[in-house]
Amino acid sequence: MPIPGPGYAITARVDAPATSTSAGDLTAAVGLVGGVVTAFDVVEAKTDSIVVDLSANARNTEHVEEIKDAIDALEGFSVRKVSDRTFLLHLGGKIEVRSKVSLRTRDDLSRAYTPGVARVSRAIAANPEDARRLTIKRNTVAVVTDGSAVLGLGNIGAAAAMPVMEGKAALFKQFAGVDAWPVCLDTQDTEEIIRTVQILAPGYGGINLEDIAAPRCFEIERRLREMLDIPVFHDDQHGTAVVVLGALRNALRVVGKRFADVKVVVCGVGAAGSAVIRLLGSEKTADVIAVDVDGIVHPDRPGMDENLASIAAQTNKGGKTGSLADALVGADVFVGVSAPNLFGADELATMAEKSIVFALANPDPEVDPSVAQQHAAVVATGRSDYPNQINNVLAFPGVFRGLLDAQAHDITDAMMLAASAAIADVVAEPNPSFIVPSVFDTTVAPAVAEALRTAAGKQARKGEVEAG
């Protein structure tokens, strides 16, 4: 059962009797139905009555109603209204645009706009690369989605995806000082998406593709990378892979194993799983077995699309077939980016000694983390209420900060490996409950950015040598 959390935080305005037991009666009523009181404020007081704002965390919307009914059931108490604090946070959106320059005088206006701005435009027309120096392009990322694979909500469309993309933009700014803007496209046609991003690209220094369903996302990213001179980064793929690999580096340190010696099972071969498999290959992992809803991926399996066929060609060295349970036998590592509640204690017991389990399906993982902790040496999830949260915010702000600073034209596997190593290195002394830094660790984004700048510099020098 989920636990009460700030995602379902409410404030109830309550009429209550002015007695010495009112506060205790209210908090007890909320507690009896499983709510967690977080604040109690008297906003109005009379001789025989008070008005109270009671804030509490709930499990879900149904639980909110239970809390309301429990308060109303108290003699002399009544709930005037219940405000959902999450919805209040989103009123009017979460981001805004502010001018960086003063426009208080005629001289200010003449330099920032006409006639002075014409000189800057002419300079960029003569040398388009100056756009990175003289416009917001040097620090701006487009967060592009078609709303087809939003969080765990599925295909909810462009408008409904806006709050998520706004949140992403806010994270870019908070953690790396990057100005990001939601670009929610009301189309799910591959060609329309590619063309739209292509013609919008001059205003941005990077493209962050987000929540676009597989397999369409693979072609969109590939073709945009070919046609644009700015980095294109699909966060659902590569952001997840970078953080997973960083966490796995430290998990292997904890259990005393090496990539070259471990067998890894990756469950889920959509956007995230495919990227994880690719980076594991770059680390020369001993063996990777991919599993999807139809079982183990292998070259002789019929009906595979282009992405699955590619994965089959680069994984499963022993040609293993069967189910997820079959794949887990003897495995050192499980990485799940798939669906909830796929296996349990029996399957965990068949894994190798000192096993590692990354069950990342959200909000309900592939295996109960409390059960996994009884069998595995290291357990990670995508949740914030367990240790070792694998969260993309550890990667994408620093990744784009480094790419923008380096004025990079693309992003390579070498850069992503450098980012994963930087995330891992922030944790100086990993242990089973601490293999990745906190999402609020302010040293992460600068470390990742520096790793990207260095890797981008090496890439640029390599290109100059090859061209020369």
Side-chain angles (χ1 to χ4, degrees):
M1 176 182 291
I3 61 174
Y8 288 95
I10 61 167
T11 297
R13 177 151 291 188
V14 182
D15 291 312
T19 66
S20 60
T21 62
S22 286
D25 292 342
L26 265 175
T27 56
V30 173
L32 283 172
V33 293
V36 177
V37 175
T38 58
F40 185 99
D41 300 293
V42 177
V43 295
E44 184 181 324
K46 296 181 180 179
T47 304
D48 59 349
S49 66
I50 56 174
V51 179
V52 173
D53 278 351
L54 181 101
S55 298
N57 290 342
R59 294 189 297 270
N60 48 44
T61 53
E62 293 78 11
H63 192 210
V64 170
E65 289 301 312
E66 290 181 41
I67 292 172
K68 177 180 178 295
D69 292 343
I71 295 172
D72 278 331
L74 294 172
E75 186 175 351
F77 292 75
S78 64
V79 178
R80 288 189 187 179
K81 65 177 181 179
V82 176
S83 300
D84 187 314
R85 295 172 64 190
T86 297
F87 275 80
L88 291 175
L89 179 74
H90 287 77
L91 284 177
K94 302 187 290 295
I95 58 176
E96 65 182 2
V97 173
R98 294 190 181 191
S99 176
K100 294 166 61 178
V101 299
S102 171
L103 296 173
R104 285 185 273 185
T105 69
R106 188 180 298 275
D107 287 353
D108 292 339
L109 190 60
S110 295
R111 284 189 288 268
Y113 197 51
T114 186
V117 72
R119 295 171 53 220
V120 181
S121 292
R122 289 193 190 102
I124 294 172
N127 181 21
E129 191 62 24
D130 274 352
R132 293 178 183 262
R133 183 171 64 90
L134 296 171
T135 75
I136 59 172
K137 185 182 182 79
R138 70 179 296 169
N139 195 52
T140 306
V141 169
V143 183
V144 179
T145 188
D146 65 356
S148 61
V150 180
L151 299 178
L153 305 174
N155 189 353
I156 60 174
M162 272 292 290
V164 180
M165 302 309 121
E166 284 184 19
K168 191 91 176 192
L171 292 170
F172 267 113
K173 189 67 173 180
Q174 177 69 29
F175 292 110
V178 172
D179 295 316
W181 197 255
V183 179
C184 297
L185 305 180
D186 192 16
T187 177
Q188 294 181 1
D189 179 270
T190 297
E191 297 302 325
E192 284 193 327
I193 292 170
I194 292 170
R195 178 58 180 154
T196 301
V197 175
Q198 180 187 19
I199 61 180
L200 285 172
Y204 297 94
I207 303 295
N208 186 124
L209 300 176
E210 187 76 17
D211 293 346
I212 300 174
R216 183 167 62 252
C217 62
F218 302 123
E219 181 178 1
I220 291 170
E221 183 195 42
R222 177 182 61 78
R223 288 176 54 190
L224 285 174
R225 284 188 172 192
E226 291 171 354
M227 64 177 56
L228 299 183
D229 68 344
I230 57 176
V232 179
F233 183 83
H234 185 200
D235 190 48
D236 301 313
Q237 291 186 64
H238 309 302
T240 301
V242 164
V243 182
V244 165
L245 200 68
L248 188 53
R249 287 175 186 273
N250 282 341
L252 290 173
R253 288 172 62 190
V254 170
V255 300
K257 297 181 182 182
R258 304 181 306 159
F259 280 102
D261 299 326
V262 295
K263 169 184 164 185
V264 181
V265 173
V266 178
C267 183
V269 288
S274 298
V276 169
I277 289 168
R278 179 172 165 178
L279 282 194
L280 285 170
S282 298
E283 286 288 5
K284 296 181 171 57
T285 306
D287 195 13
V288 179
I289 296 179
V291 182
D292 68 1
V293 66
D294 294 318
I296 295 173
V297 178
H298 58 90
D300 297 326
R301 206 177 88 177
M304 293 191 295
D305 60 23
E306 183 179 350
N307 180 57
L308 278 179
S310 173
I311 288 171
Q314 59 185 295
T315 60
N316 196 2
K317 295 177 181 178
K320 198 165 190 175
T321 62
S323 65
L324 173 60
D326 296 316
L328 287 171
V329 176
D332 298 279
V333 180
F334 169 82
V335 177
V337 281
S338 51
N341 305 315
L342 297 182
F343 64 99
D346 290 345
E347 291 81 6
L348 287 163
T350 69
M351 295 181 69
E353 290 186 11
K354 297 182 180 179
S355 62
I356 297 166
V357 172
F358 288 5
L360 307 182
N362 244 332
D364 298 315
E366 288 83 356
V367 60
D368 186 331
S370 60
V371 174
Q373 288 168 347
Q374 297 172 27
H375 295 269
V378 181
V379 177
T381 72
R383 296 172 57 131
S384 60
D385 53 348
Y386 285 95
N388 300 326
Q389 183 189 19
I390 307 298
N391 192 317
N392 287 14
V393 76
L394 291 169
F396 68 81
V399 165
F400 273 99
R401 177 74 279 150
L403 292 171
L404 292 168
D405 290 348
Q407 297 189 13
H409 295 280
D410 59 8
I411 181 168
T412 64
D413 286 357
M415 295 179 195
M416 288 186 278
L417 289 171
S420 74
I423 291 170
D425 289 346
V426 170
V427 181
E429 297 182 7
N431 62 58
S433 296
F434 187 46
I435 58 170
V436 284
S438 163
V439 296
F440 296 107
D441 187 330
T442 57
T443 67
V444 176
V448 173
E450 176 60 28
L452 261 291
R453 284 191 292 269
T454 301
K458 291 179 180 178
Q459 181 72 22
R461 289 191 292 274
K462 179 181 177 183
E464 290 171 0
V465 170
E466 292 175 348

